[in-house]
Amino acid sequence: MASITINGTSHDVTADPATPLLWVIRDVVGLTGTKYGCGIAQCGACTVHLDGAPVRSCSVPLSAVGTKHVTTIEGLSVDSTHAVQQAWVELQVPQCGYCQSGQIMSAVALLDRKPSPTDAEIDSAMQGNICRCGTYQRIHAAVQRAAEMKRAIA
Amino acid sequence: MTRFLTTVSRRDFVRVGLVLGGGLMVSVYGCGPNGEELQTGTTPDGSLAPNAFLRIDTNGNVFVTSKHLEMGQGVHTGLATIIADELDADWSRVTVEGAGADDKKYGNSKIGGMQGTGGSTAIANSWTQHRTAGATARAMLITAAANQWSVPAAELITEPGEVVHAASKRRATYGSLVTAAAALPVPANVPLKDPKSFRYIGKDKATTPRVDAKAKSNGTAVFTQDVKLPGMLTAVVAHAPLFGGTVKSFDGARAKAVPGVVDVVQIPTGIAVLAQHFWAAKQGRDALVVQWDNASANTLGTAEIMAQYRDAAQKPGIGIRNDGDAEKAIAGAATTVEATYEFPFLAHASMEPLNCVVELKADSASIWNSNQFPTVDRGAVAKVFGFEPEKITMHTVFAGGSFGRRANPHSDYVVEAATIAKAISGRAPVKLVWTREDDTSAGYFRPAMLHRLRGGVDAAGMPVAWWQRVVGQNMMIGTMFDSKDGKDPSAYEGAADHPYEIANVFLDAVFPKVGVPVQWWRSVGNTHTAFAVEMFVDEMAHAAGKDPLEFRRALLTKDPRRLAVMNLAAEKAGWGTPAAAGRARGIAVHKSFDTYVAEVAEVSIVNGVPRVHKVTCAVDCGIVVNPDVVRAQVEGAVAFGLGAALYGRIDIDKGRVVTTNFDRYRVLRHAEMPVVDVHIVPSGEAPTGIGEPATPPIGPAVANALLALTGKPTRTLPLVS
Ligand code: FES
Ligand code: FES
């Protein structure tokens, strides 16, 4: 039995320590906003934060989580009011939506680190998140829009 | 505002179906050839018959039932916009739910009355039908208010969610009127709005934002992957590594020893491992020892298959088009041009790998899936279980992409899920999950294709002959769309009917038999025909020393809509003005699914690899229901087609797919996305499709830009190997 903290709540989970964090989040804890897309850290659909840093949860074993705090899409805000989520809705980013939890988690981590990212910084932070629907142009604009919204509040 | 299927317990799924109580339901059963209403009826007492497009509850909430699968293309928003406009609904109170399976109620008039989402037909086949559904409900609400207030109906107007009598300053919400309205006879032939008074249709995202944007930005949107039923097991399957392989023998002992694994069963398509959760099932699958029988399996690789196609391209095929005498005209031409274009197999590689949930009971079953062909899938599952199809309930949830894959004419993964549920005698609900590798290795690819072209240009630089041979698999064999005459019209759609005014045109087609399963992929045959045609036009223009745009204009004098999108894209892209240093522009125009799209790509070469900076698009899809959704579909289709043109290639080695995940099956990523600038041609024509038609032109637009930049044509895709 391991204890992990997800979105501020501690969960006792029974799982093989080698189980990827993704499947602990989805199948054991039951939070399904985090998605499976490739299982080999290639697509970013499973992106969550470990102590605020973006990681591909499909490739992080439960044993590596320890006391680090996990944040998933469900933990961003209770009412979809995080600036990044608002920008996503305002610019009508999602199409099928399957990649978007991962996209949003990567964008949030970027803006936490760099409040005013350049185009190249957005490109490189988002390069690991595939969107097969091709929403990249809107994702890019929404990251900039969210940065603007965050700066306006700050 | 919009309420989606945000929870996944069985109780909630049932609740969503039962919300009716005391509401007004308008059903428009079936549709004629133009989608017109044939018969209507009400269910006034609130009894459930989930067969309507629209219902309004006593609180004034509007529920739209989408007969089409929402897979990203925005169809939930589009269908709701049409109904809400004629109904004068309050957009913030509109919710969309997926329909069950029923050809009679939800048939698609554009695909022979079968229920299905594909061919970019959703809005086109629903346009009149859904306007009628909304207008009929509105008329009943007006009548109910007129009766209540004892005023003539003609004195009443509607505002979003309300009936208004201006003279007496009375207003009534729709919710307060539905019970009375539901008791009224359903009027026939209700007039539809004058398009000038459309409230929502054609308006931008501020007026009709996507109904699913919020749920898809907070993790609550439910995909098949997220469906969880009490006691459900997850199944992961060991499939034959070669197409056509079968299980010879297997040993499941090590799989059963994995903690969490509950069962190991043999099914027709392999060995299924069932476990408490995905990871245990996958560990169990990986621990299986399976001997495969490859006696009737495909052992060819892509290199051998393409070599066969090159041979086949030397022999005559089935004649498709023959205007004048192309051979003679080529022989007499001042300049001749020849090219052979080769196209690889492509996987759909939707973001959500394929999956399906099945709950099997003694004499009934339920399926949770992103149902693109719900009645086809239901029929196939019914055969597995030996039930009447009506005993199977199809729950349609969001698809994490599809691009055609979930419209599998053989219901491959759905049937597989059903066979697993049957193999464990329905002891538990089963969620079949394919890994990314399973998904990419399973076939049903866009077929590999080869186009051989020969053309002749006269002394004035005008084409006098066009000769084309198309080689590739017939993807219709064994499907409901098989014409049984050996032809697959999708192989030459957009080529045999190319619009260029050339006196001598010949096209034939060869359909080799190859043991790799193939299927439609976003824009179907247009994925390669548009490339072959538009690239070859540029090759001929290049040989004639003409500007590609002027060359096309001279050959398109009888095709005003095509000409208009081409001219608009060229103008907006600054065609004729110098591009930035090191860059060149290429143009391509193509009609597919009755929609015209022209694209101008601005391209340079960075480190030996094409870099697409900007794509200027012009689109004519008739009346536009949601302009922002149209723009989004064009942006997305450009990205999808560009990724394929640059990188897309399934490699098969000795029968085995080797490009099984995103490390080797490359797709477009964020930094490679060009600026996509979309211009919509205003139109009063009936709406046509938008999910697919912006895909075909991007490949040739980029290749044509490279031809302008380097003088070298692109003959083999992908561009980057
Ligand atoms: S599922 Fe983790 S990166 Fe794709
Ligand atoms: S929105 Fe569909 S994969 Fe990104």
Side-chain angles (χ1 to χ4, degrees):
Chain A
M1 182 123 92
S3 178
I4 60 168
T5 305
I6 304 179
N7 303 330
T9 306
S10 165
H11 298 265
D12 291 331
V13 296
T14 310
D16 177 351
T19 307
L21 175 59
L22 170 63
W23 298 107
V24 175
I25 293 170
R26 287 186 56 86
D27 286 359
V28 183
V29 177
L31 294 172
T32 54
T34 307
K35 302 302 189 208
Y36 164 71
C38 71
I40 60 165
Q42 282 288 320
C43 78
C46 65
T47 306
V48 300
H49 297 174
L50 265 194
D51 280 349
V55 296
R56 310 300 180 212
S57 64
C58 68
S59 302
V60 175
L62 175 60
S63 59
V65 177
T67 58
K68 294 197 183 83
H69 283 231
V70 180
T71 309
T72 69
I73 184 79
E74 291 90 348
L76 272 195
S77 67
V78 285
D79 47 5
S80 308
T81 50
H82 190 287
V84 172
Q85 289 173 310
Q86 287 190 41
W88 245 244
V89 173
E90 184 185 316
L91 299 192
Q92 299 277 285
V93 173
Q95 290 190 23
C96 84
Y98 195 81
C99 73
Q100 298 297 348
S101 297
Q103 304 279 2
I104 288 170
M105 296 311 284
S106 289
V108 168
L110 167 68
L111 294 179
D112 286 348
R113 216 166 59 241
K114 290 193 193 302
S116 304
T118 63
D119 284 330
E121 284 166 345
I122 298 173
D123 280 354
S124 99
M126 304 306 293
Q127 189 70 348
N129 287 85
I130 293 173
C131 175
R132 286 292 283 152
C133 299
T135 64
Y136 299 122
Q137 174 160 289
R138 289 177 186 228
I139 289 171
H140 201 94
V143 172
Q144 289 165 326
R145 175 77 185 111
E148 206 176 276
M149 286 161 67
K150 285 183 75 170
R151 284 195 303 268
I153 307 165
Chain B
M1 49 168 274
T2 56
R3 192 173 57 83
F4 259 77
L5 304 182
T6 52
T7 48
V8 292
S9 71
R10 263 186 298 188
R11 199 194 61 227
D12 280 332
F13 274 109
V14 173
R15 181 172 58 80
V16 167
L18 289 170
V19 206
L20 256 196
L24 163 68
M25 177 152 62
V26 175
S27 308
V28 182
Y29 293 100
C31 54
N34 301 310
E36 74 273 20
E37 165 194 357
L38 296 178
Q39 190 191 346
T40 61
T42 51
T43 310
D45 59 2
S47 68
L48 176 67
N51 56 10
F53 295 116
L54 163 63
R55 73 176 190 265
I56 309 167
D57 73 9
T58 50
N59 296 318
N61 297 312
V62 175
F63 299 91
V64 170
T65 301
S66 175
K67 64 179 187 174
H68 290 291
L69 171 66
E70 177 57 71
M71 46 191 167
Q73 81 281 42
V75 73
H76 277 191
T77 304
L79 296 179
T81 301
I82 298 169
I83 285 183
D85 201 317
E86 289 287 353
L87 176 62
D88 266 347
D90 174 349
W91 184 253
S92 68
R93 308 193 70 168
V94 175
T95 299
V96 184
E97 299 159 357
D102 192 328
D103 283 339
K104 281 204 192 73
K105 292 170 192 157
Y106 302 124
N108 180 341
S109 61
K110 299 270 178 191
I111 54 172
M114 180 186 110
Q115 186 180 357
T117 307
S120 296
T121 56
I123 296 298
N125 94 92
S126 306
W127 174 242
T128 307
Q129 182 184 51
H130 281 56
R131 288 182 71 189
T132 303
T136 304
R138 176 177 170 274
M140 293 169 82
L141 292 161
I142 286 179
T143 305
N147 292 347
Q148 200 168 306
W149 296 332
S150 301
V151 297
E155 288 180 11
L156 300 179
I157 59 159
T158 50
E159 288 177 2
E162 290 182 319
V163 180
V164 179
H165 186 238
S168 64
K169 296 203 169 64
R170 274 179 292 194
R171 315 176 79 88
T173 64
Y174 285 178
S176 71
L177 294 167
V178 289
T179 307
L184 296 170
V186 179
N189 304 320
V190 176
L192 302 180
K193 273 188 182 174
D194 179 337
K196 281 203 281 297
S197 55
F198 282 154
R199 185 184 293 281
Y200 298 127
I201 293 165
K203 300 295 186 291
D204 227 320
K205 61 183 182 225
T207 308
T208 49
R210 280 184 73 122
V211 293
D212 51 357
K214 197 168 168 190
K216 289 175 173 179
S217 301
N218 63 19
T220 58
V222 172
F223 301 85
T224 306
Q225 197 84 15
D226 307 325
V227 172
K228 191 163 192 175
L229 305 178
M232 185 180 80
L233 298 175
T234 298
V236 176
V237 176
H239 296 114
L242 305 187
F243 297 115
T246 53
V247 175
K248 193 186 282 172
S249 64
F250 78 102
D251 179 355
R254 286 204 298 140
K256 282 192 178 141
V258 172
V261 169
V262 174
D263 212 341
V264 175
V265 293
Q266 182 167 354
I267 54 172
T269 50
I271 307 296
V273 177
L274 294 113
Q276 302 292 354
H277 48 79
F278 170 84
W279 189 247
K282 179 171 180 299
Q283 296 295 102
R285 192 269 302 264
D286 294 349
L288 285 170
V289 181
V290 189
Q291 305 298 327
W292 300 101
D293 180 350
N294 291 327
S296 49
N298 168 61
T299 54
L300 297 182
T302 32
E304 294 80 22
I305 293 168
M306 290 319 292
Q308 284 186 358
Y309 287 9
R310 278 173 221 129
D311 286 347
Q314 302 309 316
K315 292 163 211 136
I318 303 174
I320 306 295
R321 179 170 172 186
N322 196 5
D323 305 351
D325 189 337
E327 286 294 353
K328 197 168 143 205
I330 289 171
T335 312
T336 57
V337 186
E338 292 204 18
T340 298
Y341 305 112
E342 296 189 6
F343 303 88
F345 290 107
L346 294 173
H348 302 74
S350 306
M351 217 54 234
E352 180 185 18
L354 291 170
N355 44 29
C356 181
V357 175
V358 179
E359 182 177 47
L360 172 60
K361 300 241 177 87
D363 58 359
S364 67
S366 296
I367 307 281
W368 284 261
N369 178 37
S370 304
N371 297 300
Q372 205 172 343
F373 277 174
T375 48
V376 172
D377 289 344
R378 187 181 63 168
V381 169
K383 280 210 188 90
V384 172
F385 295 148
F387 295 160
E388 290 301 313
E390 290 68 30
K391 295 283 183 189
I392 297 163
T393 307
M394 304 296 282
H395 302 271
T396 299
V397 294
F398 286 133
S402 169
F403 313 115
R405 183 61 178 85
R406 284 186 184 265
N408 183 272
H410 313 284
S411 305
D412 64 334
Y413 68 96
V414 177
V415 164
E416 179 168 273
T419 61
I420 299 167
K422 192 179 172 190
I424 62 162
S425 310
R427 280 199 309 279
V430 172
K431 183 200 286 185
L432 168 68
V433 177
W434 281 9
T435 63
R436 171 59 57 194
E437 290 82 1
D438 296 334
D439 184 291
T440 318
S441 309
Y444 295 108
F445 301 130
R446 192 290 297 271
M449 300 294 299
L450 183 147
H451 287 246
R452 185 173 160 219
L453 282 113
R454 299 157 61 215
V457 177
D458 68 15
M462 292 309 293
V464 292
W466 178 288
W467 183 102
Q468 184 166 8
R469 178 163 294 150
V470 184
V471 182
Q473 275 171 272
N474 181 331
M475 69 167 82
M476 303 302 172
I477 289 177
T479 77
M480 58 291 229
F481 303 115
D482 189 355
S483 58
K484 305 253 166 63
D485 57 2
K487 295 184 209 166
D488 172 358
S490 83
Y492 44 82
E493 63 182 349
D497 55 341
H498 80 67
Y500 295 105
E501 293 148 20
I502 300 172
N504 305 287
V505 179
F506 172 88
L507 186 141
D508 70 358
V510 184
F511 297 102
K513 293 220 171 11
V514 175
V516 177
V518 290
Q519 186 183 324
W520 31 82
W521 183 101
R522 196 176 193 171
S523 82
V524 198
N526 301 289
T527 58
H528 49 89
T529 59
F531 189 96
V533 170
E534 289 298 291
M535 179 86 232
F536 196 64
V537 168
D538 257 48
E539 290 212 43
M540 286 205 288
H542 193 72
K546 301 231 169 169
D547 172 75
L549 177 66
E550 293 303 333
F551 192 72
R552 282 180 174 77
R553 277 181 183 149
L555 298 172
L556 291 173
T557 61
K558 299 186 191 82
D559 203 342
R561 291 178 78 178
R562 195 179 308 244
L563 203 55
V565 291
M566 191 175 73
N567 286 334
L568 180 60
E571 177 209 319
K572 298 289 181 187
W575 191 273
T577 64
R583 297 187 189 180
R585 297 190 191 98
I587 192 165
V589 59
H590 193 73
K591 178 177 102 168
S592 57
F593 312 99
D594 299 324
T595 292
Y596 298 81
V597 184
E599 294 173 12
V600 175
E602 196 170 308
V603 180
S604 70
I605 294 181
V606 178
N607 299 328
V609 171
R611 170 83 182 116
V612 182
H613 301 273
K614 186 173 183 194
V615 181
T616 307
C617 309
V619 182
D620 177 355
C621 57
I623 292 171
V624 172
V625 175
N626 303 102
D628 194 57
V629 171
V630 167
R631 281 192 294 271
Q633 284 309 293
V634 173
E635 294 162 15
V638 164
F640 195 79
L642 179 58
L646 289 174
Y647 313 116
R649 186 176 76 200
I650 287 290
D651 283 333
I652 304 173
D653 182 33
K654 298 188 188 68
R656 188 185 286 256
V657 176
V658 291
T659 43
T660 61
N661 207 321
F662 292 120
D663 51 347
R664 296 192 63 186
Y665 186 69
R666 278 200 62 190
V667 298
L668 199 79
R669 288 180 179 272
H670 191 106
E672 295 133 13
M673 182 74 189
V675 172
V676 180
D677 182 23
V678 183
H679 301 272
I680 300 170
V681 176
S683 172
E685 303 283 329
T688 55
I690 199 57
E692 297 168 273
T695 313
I698 184 63
V702 170
N704 289 341
L706 290 169
L707 177 64
L709 194 63
T710 66
K712 287 201 204 85
T714 300
R715 297 279 173 75
T716 305
L717 288 180
L719 286 155
V720 181
S721 51

Short mmCIF file of all heavy atoms in Angstrom, two decimals, chain B residues 61 101 140 186 212 288 301 308-309 312 340 367 437 468 580 593 596 598 709:
data_model
loop_
_atom_site.label_atom_id
_atom_site.label_comp_id
_atom_site.label_asym_id
_atom_site.label_seq_id
_atom_site.Cartn_x
_atom_site.Cartn_y
_atom_site.Cartn_z
N ASN B 61 -35.47 23.96 -20.23
CA ASN B 61 -34.21 23.44 -20.76
C ASN B 61 -34.47 22.73 -22.08
O ASN B 61 -35.47 22.02 -22.22
CB ASN B 61 -33.57 22.46 -19.78
CG ASN B 61 -33.19 23.16 -18.49
OD1 ASN B 61 -32.59 24.23 -18.52
ND2 ASN B 61 -33.59 22.58 -17.37
N ALA B 101 -29.16 3.92 -31.38
CA ALA B 101 -29.10 3.39 -32.75
C ALA B 101 -30.51 3.18 -33.29
O ALA B 101 -31.31 2.49 -32.68
CB ALA B 101 -28.35 2.05 -32.75
N MET B 140 -45.82 25.23 -31.95
CA MET B 140 -46.69 24.66 -30.92
C MET B 140 -46.66 25.52 -29.65
O MET B 140 -47.68 25.70 -28.98
CB MET B 140 -46.25 23.22 -30.61
CG MET B 140 -46.49 22.28 -31.80
SD MET B 140 -45.69 20.68 -31.60
CE MET B 140 -46.91 19.86 -30.57
N VAL B 186 -49.67 18.11 -33.74
CA VAL B 186 -48.43 18.62 -34.32
C VAL B 186 -48.72 19.22 -35.69
O VAL B 186 -49.27 18.53 -36.55
CB VAL B 186 -47.39 17.50 -34.46
CG1 VAL B 186 -46.11 18.04 -35.09
CG2 VAL B 186 -47.11 16.87 -33.12
N ASP B 212 -19.52 21.96 -26.14
CA ASP B 212 -18.67 21.02 -25.42
C ASP B 212 -17.33 21.62 -24.99
O ASP B 212 -16.48 20.93 -24.45
CB ASP B 212 -18.41 19.76 -26.27
CG ASP B 212 -17.91 20.09 -27.69
OD1 ASP B 212 -17.82 21.29 -28.04
OD2 ASP B 212 -17.64 19.15 -28.45
N LEU B 288 1.74 -13.37 -21.78
CA LEU B 288 1.19 -14.52 -22.50
C LEU B 288 2.25 -15.16 -23.38
O LEU B 288 3.12 -14.48 -23.91
CB LEU B 288 0.05 -14.07 -23.43
CG LEU B 288 -1.30 -13.71 -22.84
CD1 LEU B 288 -2.16 -13.07 -23.93
CD2 LEU B 288 -1.98 -14.95 -22.27
N GLY B 301 5.85 -6.88 -47.14
CA GLY B 301 6.12 -5.59 -46.54
C GLY B 301 5.71 -4.48 -47.49
O GLY B 301 5.32 -4.72 -48.64
N GLN B 308 4.91 -4.23 -56.41
CA GLN B 308 3.78 -4.82 -57.16
C GLN B 308 2.96 -3.74 -57.85
O GLN B 308 2.51 -3.91 -58.98
CB GLN B 308 2.86 -5.58 -56.20
CG GLN B 308 3.40 -6.92 -55.75
CD GLN B 308 2.36 -7.68 -54.92
OE1 GLN B 308 1.27 -7.19 -54.66
NE2 GLN B 308 2.73 -8.88 -54.50
N TYR B 309 2.76 -2.64 -57.15
CA TYR B 309 1.94 -1.56 -57.72
C TYR B 309 2.63 -0.95 -58.94
O TYR B 309 1.98 -0.60 -59.92
CB TYR B 309 1.67 -0.46 -56.68
CG TYR B 309 0.67 -0.86 -55.61
CD1 TYR B 309 0.22 -2.17 -55.49
CD2 TYR B 309 0.17 0.08 -54.70
CE1 TYR B 309 -0.69 -2.54 -54.51
CE2 TYR B 309 -0.74 -0.28 -53.73
CZ TYR B 309 -1.16 -1.59 -53.63
OH TYR B 309 -2.06 -1.95 -52.65
N ALA B 312 1.96 -3.22 -61.68
CA ALA B 312 0.54 -3.15 -62.07
C ALA B 312 0.26 -1.89 -62.90
O ALA B 312 -0.61 -1.89 -63.76
CB ALA B 312 -0.34 -3.16 -60.82
N THR B 340 5.03 9.58 -61.75
CA THR B 340 4.39 8.54 -60.95
C THR B 340 4.47 8.98 -59.50
O THR B 340 5.55 9.29 -58.99
CB THR B 340 5.10 7.18 -61.13
OG1 THR B 340 4.98 6.81 -62.51
CG2 THR B 340 4.47 6.11 -60.27
N ILE B 367 -23.96 -1.31 -25.08
CA ILE B 367 -22.63 -0.96 -25.60
C ILE B 367 -22.40 0.52 -25.32
O ILE B 367 -23.28 1.34 -25.57
CB ILE B 367 -22.59 -1.15 -27.14
CG1 ILE B 367 -23.04 -2.56 -27.54
CG2 ILE B 367 -21.21 -0.77 -27.71
CD1 ILE B 367 -22.03 -3.63 -27.37
N GLU B 437 -0.11 0.84 -29.59
CA GLU B 437 0.51 -0.09 -30.55
C GLU B 437 -0.54 -0.99 -31.18
O GLU B 437 -0.49 -1.27 -32.38
CB GLU B 437 1.59 -0.93 -29.85
CG GLU B 437 2.85 -0.16 -29.44
CD GLU B 437 2.71 0.59 -28.12
OE1 GLU B 437 1.63 0.51 -27.48
OE2 GLU B 437 3.68 1.27 -27.71
N GLN B 468 -4.20 9.06 -66.95
CA GLN B 468 -3.97 8.73 -65.54
C GLN B 468 -4.34 7.29 -65.24
O GLN B 468 -5.39 6.81 -65.67
CB GLN B 468 -4.80 9.68 -64.64
CG GLN B 468 -4.56 9.50 -63.15
CD GLN B 468 -5.12 10.67 -62.33
OE1 GLN B 468 -5.82 11.53 -62.88
NE2 GLN B 468 -4.82 10.70 -61.05
N ALA B 580 8.71 36.17 -48.96
CA ALA B 580 9.91 36.51 -48.18
C ALA B 580 11.10 35.71 -48.72
O ALA B 580 10.92 34.64 -49.32
CB ALA B 580 9.68 36.19 -46.72
N PHE B 593 -16.76 16.29 -51.10
CA PHE B 593 -17.97 16.33 -50.29
C PHE B 593 -18.75 17.62 -50.57
O PHE B 593 -19.29 18.25 -49.66
CB PHE B 593 -17.64 16.15 -48.80
CG PHE B 593 -16.71 14.99 -48.57
CD1 PHE B 593 -15.35 15.18 -48.40
CD2 PHE B 593 -17.19 13.69 -48.63
CE1 PHE B 593 -14.49 14.10 -48.25
CE2 PHE B 593 -16.34 12.60 -48.48
CZ PHE B 593 -14.98 12.81 -48.29
N TYR B 596 -15.80 23.34 -51.73
CA TYR B 596 -14.64 23.79 -52.50
C TYR B 596 -13.63 24.41 -51.54
O TYR B 596 -13.99 25.27 -50.74
CB TYR B 596 -15.05 24.85 -53.52
CG TYR B 596 -16.04 24.35 -54.55
CD1 TYR B 596 -17.41 24.26 -54.25
CD2 TYR B 596 -15.61 23.97 -55.81
CE1 TYR B 596 -18.31 23.80 -55.18
CE2 TYR B 596 -16.51 23.51 -56.76
CZ TYR B 596 -17.86 23.42 -56.44
OH TYR B 596 -18.76 22.96 -57.37
N ALA B 598 -9.55 26.04 -51.55
CA ALA B 598 -8.26 26.35 -52.15
C ALA B 598 -7.30 26.72 -51.04
O ALA B 598 -7.69 27.35 -50.05
CB ALA B 598 -8.40 27.51 -53.14
N LEU B 709 10.10 26.42 -55.41
CA LEU B 709 11.31 26.80 -54.67
C LEU B 709 12.55 26.11 -55.23
O LEU B 709 13.62 26.70 -55.34
CB LEU B 709 11.11 26.41 -53.20
CG LEU B 709 12.07 26.97 -52.15
CD1 LEU B 709 11.98 28.49 -52.09
CD2 LEU B 709 11.72 26.39 -50.78
#
